[in-house]
Amino acid sequence: MLRRIYEDVRAMRERDPAAKGWLEVLCCYPGLHAVWAYRIAHRLWTGGGAIERLVARLLSQFVRLLTGVEIHPGADLGRRVTIDHGMGVVIGETAEIGDDVHMYHGVTLGGATNEPVKRHPTVEDGAQLGANATLLGDITIGEEAAVGAGSVVTQDVAPGATVVGVPAERVD
């Protein structure tokens, strides 16, 4: 657990030029606090019955109140996932996020159906999601891809590609 916290703080310091030191990041980055609480909620969600799932959801809602970041405990987050500024981020139940993903405030990984299936995006390793980007449905954002701020993405994005706009289109 401490190793993961160390990795997360180091990753945020590398990705955010405003991060002045370890203690500042450890204490003042709500996106990281939300990810850490998610990890506890996810363990409860995946390892228990109805009561554990209820506690996991209650924890996720409490963290949402404190940080403005809502991560469903059923989502699957990789290592060193960083959320810069945090406020307004929503990550749905069947979302999958790889390692070293960086996202900014207002990002939504939302569902596109009410059916009990995989209905949220998969974001592969190293992707960057700009402020207020909206990703909808069972789509894949490829490794090292970038989604521009304010973009609405409803189709797969190739690895290494950059997409912008509403609807998002490739620009590189």
Side-chain angles (χ1 to χ4, degrees):
M1 180 77 160
L2 289 176
R3 179 186 204 110
R4 286 272 180 106
I5 292 171
Y6 172 80
E7 282 183 353
D8 291 340
V9 170
R10 190 180 76 220
M12 184 57 80
R13 288 194 68 208
E14 290 171 358
R15 296 174 192 157
D16 183 2
K20 302 298 183 224
W22 290 90
L23 189 57
E24 176 188 9
V25 172
L26 190 64
C27 296
C28 301
Y29 278 66
L32 285 182
H33 300 155
V35 168
W36 296 334
Y38 151 81
R39 297 205 188 286
I40 295 166
H42 184 70
R43 280 200 175 172
L44 289 165
W45 184 266
T46 57
I51 297 297
E52 290 83 0
R53 284 184 170 221
L54 174 61
V55 172
R57 288 288 286 151
L58 290 170
L59 175 58
S60 72
Q61 292 303 298
F62 179 68
V63 171
R64 176 183 176 219
L65 178 72
L66 293 177
T67 66
V69 176
E70 180 177 346
I71 307 172
H72 192 286
D76 187 12
L77 273 64
R79 296 177 79 130
R80 298 170 302 278
V81 171
T82 51
I83 303 171
D84 201 349
H85 300 288
M87 188 61 69
V89 168
V90 177
I91 300 173
E93 178 182 17
T94 63
E96 298 175 32
I97 301 175
D99 297 338
D100 299 305
V101 170
H102 186 69
M103 64 184 79
Y104 291 90
H105 64 278
V107 168
T108 298
L109 276 61
T113 180
N114 290 331
E115 299 300 317
V117 296
K118 170 80 167 94
R119 61 189 184 280
H120 297 92
T122 297
V123 181
E124 294 183 343
D125 297 348
Q128 293 185 48
L129 308 177
N132 298 311
T134 301
L135 289 63
L136 298 174
D138 182 14
I139 60 173
T140 299
I141 308 302
E143 285 189 31
E144 303 295 328
V147 176
S151 297
V152 176
V153 184
T154 58
Q155 296 182 8
D156 292 348
V157 175
T162 298
V163 297
V164 299
V166 181
E169 295 181 4
R170 190 169 179 162
V171 295
D172 60 340

